[in-house]
Amino acid sequence: MDDVQAYIESHRQSFENELAELLRIASVSADSRQRAETRRAAEWMATQFRQLGLATELVETGGHPIVYAESLPVLGKPVALVYGHYDVQPPEPLDEWTSPPFEPTVRNGNIYARGATDDKGQMLTHVKSVEAWMKTIGKLPLQVKFLIEGEEEVGSAHLEPFVKEHREKLVCDCVVISDCSQFAPGIPAITYGLRGIAYYELRLRGPRQDLHSGSFGGAVTNPANALAVLLAALKDENNRIQLPGFYDDVVPLTDREREEFRALPLTDEQFMQQLGVTGLSGESGYTSLERRWARPTCDINGLTSGYQGEGAKTVLPARASAKFSFRLVPNQDPRKITASLRKFLEDRLPPGIALELVDHHGAPGVLVSLDSPYMSAAAAAIEAGFGRAPVFIREGGSIPIVTTFTHELGADVLLLGWGQNDDNTHSPNEKFSLDDYHRGTRASAQLWQELAKTTNRTKKTQ
Ligand SMILES: [Zn+2]
């Protein structure tokens, strides 16, 4: 292991040069004018893998190619699958970049370029760590598979079918993804939970057409009023969601999780300052981080009805609609929520109103047990690479590809973010700290060692 880490130390410059080389390729997946460049990034990745002696394929998809590579199987040891993406967001607006987006430039220890942190820099740490093993020990202590796509920034349309179709090839014990952030500078983190979602549109229809609110108001149900009443009924005054059975499947926070969250350096005052709000609210009995990461929510995302133009118009609108969504936590099932919601609304529908409920999309949440041996392996690896143990955090949003890996491959997903929250992902002046690049590479090299110590096919004991 010392030789591996010494290799990483002595190759800092060449690793940085190679990152810069990849960052010079304008692999903007959304831009058809960059099709050839996007392909060039896929080929660049494939060349890296071939040079390491991995069995490598460039898989055509009908969109941008998927790069797949794997090292040799190691009997009795687990299999790790690294997921990443070589495509990047469009760089516009160009005039807001201090240095051009595809001319990587180092300032204050950060490398600035589109894709620096999302995801070329973070992804490359795992390739360089494999290089360090191959060039010193000559082989890896476990089998590592790489699945690198070129359509993450445009919705990964071809990845899910690929995963479903190649379940056998992709079979693994854990999936490693570095495409997110540390908790704060100097505080590395492992993200072990994501919320799910259930997104709806409710359309209410009343009279045949808009009516005069003076002549008819008071005798006819107003769809906008009805919408307000229905939406308000979804939560009580303690912000508890009122759908029958809504909380039945919710996995409660453990004492250990609550302690971990409480120890994180983020006060409500700092949080309010970040957002520019003068107060906070949420479900009674939970802290802000618990509410954001581990409790389900209901939020209205859009409201439409009546007159929105200049001045006053005394109208009783014929229609009203709302888009709203629930953020779900493990193990809530979006289909059960839909059934409960439909009945809840129908039971409360006032006379003279017709209802249409559109189920836009749903995805369950993901939770990896903190007792998973792979989780402990990742924590030890991060401590070795970053010089401090990681904190365990959750994320309030959803990452669809993680759900796919969890459901299709049945593997524990390790979200190991090497970035920082202020890396300007998707924005001008995207950056990645070169120190974090090297720390991430060290942690990754250690991860292969730590994972190899775990027993093959150990299932979580939750
Ligand atoms: Zn990304």
Side-chain angles (χ1 to χ4, degrees), residues 85 87 117-119 152-153 179 425-426:
H85 61 95
D87 65 323
T117 191
D118 179 18
D119 176 40
E152 197 272 347
E153 304 293 6
D179 192 12
T425 316
H426 296 201

Side-chain angles (χ1 to χ4, degrees), residues 45-54 56 67 69 127 146 148:
M45 291 305 302
T47 304
Q48 286 275 319
F49 293 132
R50 285 195 194 103
Q51 283 170 351
L52 298 177
L54 306 191
T56 306
V67 185
V127 183
F146 284 94
I148 310 296

Side-chain angles (χ1 to χ4, degrees), residues 67-85:
V67 185
Y68 177 77
E70 60 178 40
S71 64
L72 293 173
V74 181
L75 199 66
K77 298 295 178 188
V79 178
L81 178 101
V82 176
Y83 163 82
H85 61 95

Side-chain angles (χ1 to χ4, degrees), residues 11-23:
H11 284 73
R12 288 172 73 98
Q13 195 54 53
S14 67
F15 288 177
E16 290 177 19
N17 295 347
E18 283 169 299
L19 172 57
E21 206 176 297
L22 178 58
L23 290 171

Side-chain angles (χ1 to χ4, degrees), residues 236-241 247 258 281-287 290-291 295:
D236 72 5
E237 66 279 12
N238 295 315
N239 283 295
R240 289 279 295 183
I241 291 152
Y247 293 94
R258 301 191 86 165
S281 70
E283 189 183 358
S284 307
Y286 294 92
T287 67
E290 289 169 351
R291 290 167 178 169
R295 297 299 299 170

